[in-house]
Amino acid sequence: MVNSMLETGIPKLDEYLSGGIPKGKSLIYLNYPGVEGDVFGMQTLYHCLTTGNNCIYVSSSSHPNMLIDQFSEFGWPIENYKEKLSVIDAYSSLVGDISSEKFIVPDPEDVNSITEVIDHVIKEVPEGSVFIFSSLSTIMDLCGEDNTINAVQSWNKTAKRNRMISIYNFTAWPYTESTLVQIKNDIFNCVINVGGITQQVIYGQYFCVSKADWIKFQERSMLFRVLRPGGIKIYLPKILVTGPFNAGKSTFVHSLSTRAVSVDRKGTTIALDHGHIDYKGFSADIFGTPGQNRFDPIIKMISGEAMGVFLVVDSTNPENFNRAQQMLEITTGYGLPYVIIANKQDMQDAISTDDIRKQLNIPEEIPVVSTIATEKKGVFEAFELLVDKITGGI
Amino acid sequence: MEGYSLGIDKLDENIKGIRGGSNIMMIGPPMSGKETIINDIIYKGLKSGDAAVIVTTKEPGENVIDWFNYNNLEIPLENLGIVDCVTKTLGVPTSETSNIKRASSPVDLTGIGVKISQFLEEFWMKKNIRKTRLCIVSLSTILMYSNIQTVFRFLHVFTGRVKAAGAIGIYVVEEGMHDTQAIATLKQLFDGVLEIKQEEDSHYIRVVGFGKKSSPWYEYSLDGAQIELKDISNGE
């Protein structure tokens, strides 16, 4: 039975959208350049086909002959759903190639030419079909920004009239401000931002619902990875907790975590602390490393996969700050965002966070957070600050 | 941040290194050996421990690797990434390898951008390599399928990524294929230009934009994969 809400097939996203997309609505995957946002539209198409929906796929940046290959990379045999899938070829004419598709856009550089074919296709497919555009940005590049925005508005109206759902992949290249504002705010019922976590390179990808006019809105984000085969999978980031011997790293990991274990001997960590946190819609795995130099290879190993770092220092023990700096150098070499934990602030001889910042030579934009890990004081504030650093405050 | 050298001795001596984060246009007439020069810059970088990403719009990825083999240039393949924009366009059934990722077509700037980003992430995060050379061979092919504004937007993003990663980017443009306004538009995005010219049967190369004045024109010849620069030419 086909549900009245259309599932996107993206893990967690349907839950965020209260079950999926209602008939007649439009959704755009707004992709940051360089992240694998196109897979969202592909995964939604395949999921729609497997759940019994009729779909129309507008292929504008590659030859439709390649679709089977492109989808099979992810383990999605779309060739099994030929009866349910109509393809509009908005590419071949552009490069002077031959097309075997039934629906061909004669001039992909003219948005009216695309509209004419869409209007024709709509008459041939059942009511309630799903429209998926492989790359709206390619259409915009070829046909111009204003023309495309106007056309999208008319396509969405047509889709609504026919109780269809329209879904767009769009790469947010630096178009004019007014185009991007209209796309983000005005012309779609739902906007899913697909972004990258960037320092020197894009080292993580996330999606978040930034607009959905059929639900009580709550902005939530989720990190993901793209597997071949498999498609989009939710990814729990690793967060590294490091710092000199006896700074309180294990206590910090345990006080932050929903659940945690440590491998220690006589109270000293000799392998790893491991914890897991679910806090305000953000989940992460936390790894604490031992403080002694001989365990530095473990820091390097985890830094290569981590998304962020807590450097824990004992505020009563400035003699260990040199070692703290050494450890920081190892992790910052990977370009990871970090937060300094000034622990044991309840002790009488604890020095202030300002002094710690000076002595460790920490730049102003890096938070130095006062904590008492044994009482869980300051630990969640520190976590929120690091999450902000990782996601850029999204 | 450590600088880069091109590995072309006289030019390097003249410009005294290229700052990480620089983006360079290489422009010259057809058949002047631009690909050989690019491959040589890549080869020298790989030999000195840098990583390299080549976006190829004219040759399938395998051909790029074959060029190094054919010329007996041993390279650490694990540090080389190729974004192949050709093979899928030819409709040849193929899959990706650890070195070669394939974009759908030269029109698929989104796909090309994703593959570049993936290689940059792999070299920086997983392989801990801090110096990468990104070469697009060539921008002219991309410009044949997309208009100048589209390519400008794409380059605007990726020259920024090159800066953020402290890499260097070299972008090949065929002289004579584009109008001067298009070239001037693109030049805004670059820190310098590697210029190649042909006079009668001789080819010359110089660097513009690094240092207070342009380097002199050096006559060069290509012997297989080897570039030999002769003495400084007297005139323009």
Side-chain angles (χ1 to χ4, degrees), chain A residues 31-38 60-63 66 69-70 73 91 94-95 97 109 135 137-138 140-142 145 171-176 198-205 228 303-306 332-336, chain B residues 1 87-94 96 102-111 113-115 117-118 120-122 124-126 128 130 145-147 149-150 152-158 160-166:
Chain A
N31 308 325
Y32 180 74
V35 303
E36 293 178 279
D38 281 4
S60 55
S61 61
S62 61
H63 199 293
M66 287 159 41
D69 265 2
Q70 281 171 359
E73 225 178 276
Y91 174 81
L94 182 73
V95 294
D97 211 343
E109 293 182 271
S135 173
S137 35
T138 305
M140 189 170 273
D141 290 340
L142 294 170
E145 296 181 33
T171 304
W173 297 108
Y175 294 107
T176 58
T198 309
Q199 294 278 321
Q200 284 85 354
V201 294
I202 298 174
Y203 71 101
Q205 305 183 103
R228 290 175 172 77
S303 296
E305 294 189 354
T332 51
Y334 287 83
L336 298 171
Chain B
M1 189 171 292
T87 306
K88 280 195 175 177
T89 317
L90 299 174
V92 182
T94 185
E96 298 198 336
R102 307 192 203 268
S104 306
S105 69
V107 180
D108 178 23
L109 297 180
T110 297
V114 168
K115 313 288 179 192
S117 297
Q118 286 173 340
L120 290 178
E121 192 261 352
E122 181 183 330
W124 182 281
M125 296 301 290
K126 298 194 178 74
N128 212 5
R130 292 292 171 264
Y145 293 101
S146 299
N147 59 43
Q149 291 92 336
T150 301
F152 186 90
R153 282 192 288 263
F154 168 78
L155 287 175
H156 188 244
V157 171
F158 280 92
R161 296 278 161 77
V162 163
K163 277 192 200 313

Side-chain angles (χ1 to χ4, degrees), chain A residues 300-301 303-304 329-335, chain B residues 49-51 79 119-132:
Chain A
K300 288 182 184 168
M301 196 177 75
S303 296
E329 274 163 26
I330 297 173
T331 58
T332 51
Y334 287 83
Chain B
D50 298 359
N79 295 345
F119 277 126
L120 290 178
E121 192 261 352
E122 181 183 330
F123 293 138
W124 182 281
M125 296 301 290
K126 298 194 178 74
K127 295 188 173 158
N128 212 5
I129 300 172
R130 292 292 171 264
K131 289 170 79 177
T132 299

Side-chain angles (χ1 to χ4, degrees), chain A residues 231-244:
Chain A
I232 291 153
K233 300 287 175 199
I234 296 304
Y235 166 65
L236 288 183
K238 288 188 179 73
I239 289 179
L240 172 68
V241 179
T242 189

Side-chain angles (χ1 to χ4, degrees), chain B residues 31 50 62-64 87 95 107 112 114 138 164 175 181 184 186 197 203 208 211 220 225 231-232 234:
Chain B
M31 317 293 284
D50 298 359
E62 281 77 2
N63 289 16
V64 176
T87 306
S95 56
V107 180
I112 295 171
V114 168
S138 75
E175 193 180 314
Q181 198 181 347
L186 293 178
K197 69 173 181 177
H203 289 101
V208 179
Y220 68 89
D231 289 335
I232 296 170
N234 288 327

